[in-house]
Amino acid sequence: MNRIPMLAAGHATVDLYQGAVPALVPFLVAERGYGYVAVSGVVLAATLSSSIVQPVFGVLTDRWRMPWLIPVSMVVAGAGVAAGGVADSYVLTWLAVALSGLGVAAYHPESARLARIASAGSHVRMSWFSLGGTLGFASAPVLVTPLLALWGLEASPFLVLPAVLGALVTLPAIRASAAGPGPEAGAAAPVPGRDDWPSFTRLTLVIVFRSVVYVGLSAFVALYMGGGASGAVALFVLFAGGAVGTVLGGRLAGRWGRVRTMRLAYAAAVPAVAGVVLAPGPAAYVFIAASSIALYAPFSLHVTLGQDFLPRRVGTASGVTLGLAVSVGGLASPLVGAVAEAATLRTALACLIVFPLLAWLLARTLKEPALEPAS
């Protein structure tokens, strides 16, 4: 059984809820009067729990198989977003969205471990798994914005339905995994070699820098473009550009190698992010798309590079590259919101330009994993 399509569908479902949180932001501003700092705190809630808990799940999946985490975590992610829209206080909203982040944290390490086994180490197949998550991000504003525009935040409980459907779709892949090899065999499937912690640490910092700029854009680009339909279009362009970037990154990596592709992507991201801030009117949409493509081209490459830098700890590598390092960018979102309130939103977004530059500089210190068998 080819489990990658089912795992990709599950990845799309759970990452829909990561994209749903930024899509909620304009409605939280319009219906509840939240300011920039308040809504950036909601975005922080979605990422903080992932940042803290995801490495723990990664360590656990290196020791034990826990495929049951996949459907459970999907439902938790959906239930948190659904509850966040109808919570009657800021604290309860924050806690509900944090619960959603916990579900996302539990999902990624185990699903990436299964995807690694199902893909037999193929970077192309892993890119399809990553693409599923990107498409989930892209579909969030298309699903969330029309629903809430018609019926308001009170309609948010309906947002749990994709989680239930996604959990059902992934059950055959989970059953196939349960019938497959044990945890020891699963851990032996990745390419053998020594764990290269220095390179993995630098890669993690690259992903953190990428996360800061991407989470900052996803949290505020809808408001920057005027909210409403214009804001929804901006989010869709941002998220859909990620799908293009994921596919493009896999193709370029096959030709040029993963590290070189990553360097080129971050070099291109610097002027693209600058264009979002500097381009007038509708031209900004072009640079939003370019930024997303450039920031997502190395996304699946981060995952396979991390797993190859830590071949003995695939779950840990997956938890960090798909979770912690990505989520930690949300920790910077309140600072972006504070700059926006102290100055302007344009000034706050301009501060993001430095982060792809830092990612490019650090990526220049990385080399392709040696992948030598351990002695």
Side-chain angles (χ1 to χ4, degrees):
M1 175 192 295
N2 186 356
R3 288 170 279 171
I4 290 295
M6 286 177 283
L7 292 172
H11 198 186
T13 300
V14 81
D15 278 6
L16 180 150
Y17 294 105
Q18 292 198 79
V21 175
L24 285 174
V25 164
F27 297 95
L28 293 174
V29 171
E31 296 189 28
R32 298 186 183 174
Y34 291 169
Y36 290 135
V37 173
V39 294
S40 61
V42 173
V43 176
L44 172 65
T47 57
L48 185 61
S49 56
S50 292
S51 299
I52 295 173
V53 176
Q54 195 138 200
V56 176
F57 283 109
V59 172
L60 292 175
T61 57
D62 279 332
R63 300 187 64 180
W64 300 289
R65 280 195 313 184
M66 295 186 290
W68 55 267
L69 268 180
I70 295 176
V72 170
S73 61
M74 292 166 69
V75 174
V76 170
V81 168
V86 294
D88 59 3
S89 71
Y90 181 81
V91 171
L92 290 177
T93 299
W94 197 97
L95 290 173
V97 174
L99 178 66
S100 179
L102 180 64
V104 172
Y107 173 86
H108 281 107
E110 179 67 7
S111 66
R113 185 188 69 81
L114 293 185
R116 173 78 171 192
I117 295 170
S119 66
S122 167
H123 303 317
V124 174
R125 291 181 183 177
M126 281 297 292
S127 72
W128 286 109
F129 171 72
S130 298
L131 178 62
T134 306
L135 292 175
F137 260 105
S139 65
V142 177
L143 174 66
V144 174
T145 301
L147 177 70
L148 301 188
L150 284 174
W151 293 297
L153 289 170
E154 291 77 11
S156 62
F158 289 107
L159 295 174
V160 76
L161 296 179
V164 176
L165 179 61
L168 293 174
V169 168
T170 57
L171 283 178
I174 295 168
R175 293 193 186 101
S177 173
E184 293 79 9
V191 179
R194 299 178 179 86
D195 289 338
D196 183 355
W197 284 101
S199 294
F200 182 77
T201 300
R202 293 196 298 274
L203 175 66
T204 299
L205 289 174
V206 168
I207 302 171
V208 168
F209 293 144
R210 179 255 182 205
S211 176
V212 170
V213 62
Y214 189 80
V215 173
L217 286 175
S218 65
F220 294 107
V221 74
L223 293 174
Y224 181 70
M225 296 303 292
S230 297
V233 170
L235 276 180
F236 177 77
V237 169
L238 182 73
F239 296 160
V244 176
T246 302
V247 175
L248 181 62
R251 300 282 186 180
L252 294 179
R255 177 175 298 182
W256 295 336
R258 291 173 292 178
V259 172
R260 185 182 179 192
T261 299
M262 182 169 59
R263 293 170 183 166
L264 292 172
Y266 286 122
V270 176
V273 175
V276 174
V277 179
L278 301 175
Y285 288 111
V286 175
F287 288 97
I288 292 171
S291 297
S292 183
I293 292 170
L295 292 170
Y296 257 96
F299 186 70
S300 67
L301 311 182
H302 293 156
V303 179
T304 58
L305 278 170
Q307 291 173 336
D308 289 344
F309 282 138
L310 299 184
R312 295 176 175 177
R313 296 174 174 83
V314 170
T316 300
S318 302
V320 173
T321 56
L322 273 173
L324 172 62
V326 174
S327 301
V328 82
L331 301 177
S333 61
L335 297 178
V336 178
V339 173
E341 291 196 345
T344 65
L345 186 52
R346 186 177 189 182
T347 300
L349 293 181
C351 294
L352 299 176
I353 298 171
V354 70
F355 290 99
L357 176 61
L358 292 173
W360 173 73
L361 290 172
L362 197 54
R364 290 175 59 84
T365 70
L366 293 173
K367 297 180 180 180
E368 290 284 343
L371 300 180
E372 296 176 356
S375 57

